[in-house]
Amino acid sequence: MPDPTTTMPPDAAHALALITQGLDLLAATDLTRCPDTDLITVAKTTEQTLSRLTYHGDRQWMELSVRGIPRKHGHTSMHAFAGNELHASDITRRMRQVRNTQTPPTITGEPVTPECPTLAAAFAAGHVGPSHITVVLDFVKALPVALPHDVKVAAEQTITELATQYPVDQVKDLAAELMARLDPDGSLIDKPDRHRRRGLWLGKQGIDGMSKLTGTIDPVLRAHLETLFAAWGQPGVNNPDDESSPAGDARATEVIAPAATAAA
């Protein structure tokens, strides 16, 4: 419940009070008394509301960032502020979401079209959630630079519409199919397209000292890695716990694993 002694605008205070009251009522609801159809409605409405709340949370993040509030509170970035002050989770994904579905206000206060306007509208209405948004953004990012602008706009509209209708895994398949139709022979994808997407990300060390490495690599590096894996990365090869395990020089390219060892 908002503190009535603050100078918060009445409409904002009232909105927060209603949200809190609604959640309290929902928590007190005896779901066992709901018929099946009504329970489905409650669950669907809750999911839609969660997405709408997240959209408006992202809008607040944009406002916080524009005002420079994180630095005023001693934080080096919005990312740090969101973790320490807002106790938010999955911050990296949220920041990407904000960049593509929210826009900072202009000096004159006029609205600005977000990077993905159709996705932003569907998100604001609660028709798509975080997982669907990630699929759509991955698809949009992968669009070849050579595609005409109007084609890119239409593609974003199409994949967003599909995201409002189908499960995440199915949308991924549909995105791949749509990409294949936009560039059937792969002629539009060139080096700049691949270069802007490639990269490696090194995660924080775990308590065991291990670190997670993720990334996106181009076809050339993939070919080199496949050769190295075939030469000395197969099961049973270079096993430090087995003195009889076949071993080879890292610079070697011939397959060193006998069939029996690799199959073991």
Side-chain angles (χ1 to χ4, degrees):
M1 186 72 67
D3 184 353
T5 63
T6 66
T7 57
M8 183 183 296
D11 52 350
H14 188 213
L16 292 179
L18 288 176
I19 290 172
T20 302
Q21 182 181 9
L23 289 174
D24 289 342
L25 287 172
L26 186 61
T29 300
D30 183 4
L31 297 177
T32 61
R33 300 177 58 187
C34 287
D36 292 356
T37 54
D38 291 343
L39 183 57
I40 293 173
T41 299
V42 170
K44 290 179 67 174
T45 303
T46 299
E47 291 300 321
Q48 185 175 3
T49 302
L50 285 171
S51 295
R52 293 182 65 191
L53 280 172
T54 303
Y55 173 84
H56 289 289
D58 289 353
R59 187 164 67 95
Q60 294 155 19
W61 282 32
M62 177 61 74
E63 182 68 19
L64 288 163
S65 180
V66 168
R67 294 191 192 183
I69 291 178
R71 294 191 181 278
K72 292 178 183 177
H73 284 250
H75 298 283
T76 57
S77 65
M78 181 62 200
H79 193 287
F81 179 84
N84 290 289
E85 299 288 342
L86 305 182
H87 300 289
S89 59
D90 208 0
I91 300 172
T92 299
R93 181 194 58 76
R94 284 285 298 276
M95 294 295 293
R96 184 192 189 200
Q97 198 168 271
V98 170
R99 288 193 301 270
N100 288 275
T101 61
Q102 303 290 333
T103 56
T106 61
I107 297 177
T108 58
E110 297 176 353
V112 180
T113 303
E115 289 291 326
C116 298
T118 307
L119 178 63
F123 187 20
H127 297 320
V128 291
S131 296
H132 282 92
I133 291 172
T134 296
V135 174
V136 173
L137 293 182
D138 287 345
F139 169 81
V140 171
K141 183 179 180 181
L143 290 173
V145 174
L147 277 178
H149 177 69
D150 59 335
V151 175
K152 293 180 181 179
V153 171
E156 187 254 341
Q157 293 173 345
T158 299
I159 194 64
T160 298
E161 182 178 351
L162 293 171
T164 65
Q165 302 175 36
Y166 297 100
V168 173
D169 289 342
Q170 195 167 348
V171 176
K172 290 180 180 179
D173 294 337
L174 292 169
E177 181 180 340
L178 179 57
M179 185 68 76
R181 293 185 180 184
L182 292 171
D183 187 18
D185 57 1
S187 60
L188 294 178
I189 299 178
D190 54 14
K191 282 188 176 181
D193 285 315
R194 295 189 175 101
H195 288 176
R196 68 189 173 91
R197 295 182 58 204
R198 66 184 180 181
L200 295 175
W201 294 268
L202 182 63
K204 292 183 178 180
Q205 276 190 301
I207 57 176
D208 59 355
M210 303 293 284
S211 301
K212 184 177 181 180
L213 180 66
T214 58
T216 301
I217 59 176
D218 62 20
V220 175
L221 178 55
R222 179 187 175 90
H224 285 305
L225 290 176
E226 286 179 333
T227 300
L228 294 176
F229 293 160
W232 44 272
Q234 294 193 34
V237 179
N238 289 318
N239 183 358
D241 297 325
D242 183 4
E243 294 182 356
S244 63
S245 171
D249 193 308
R251 294 166 295 180
T253 57
E254 67 274 9
V255 177
I256 63 174
T261 304

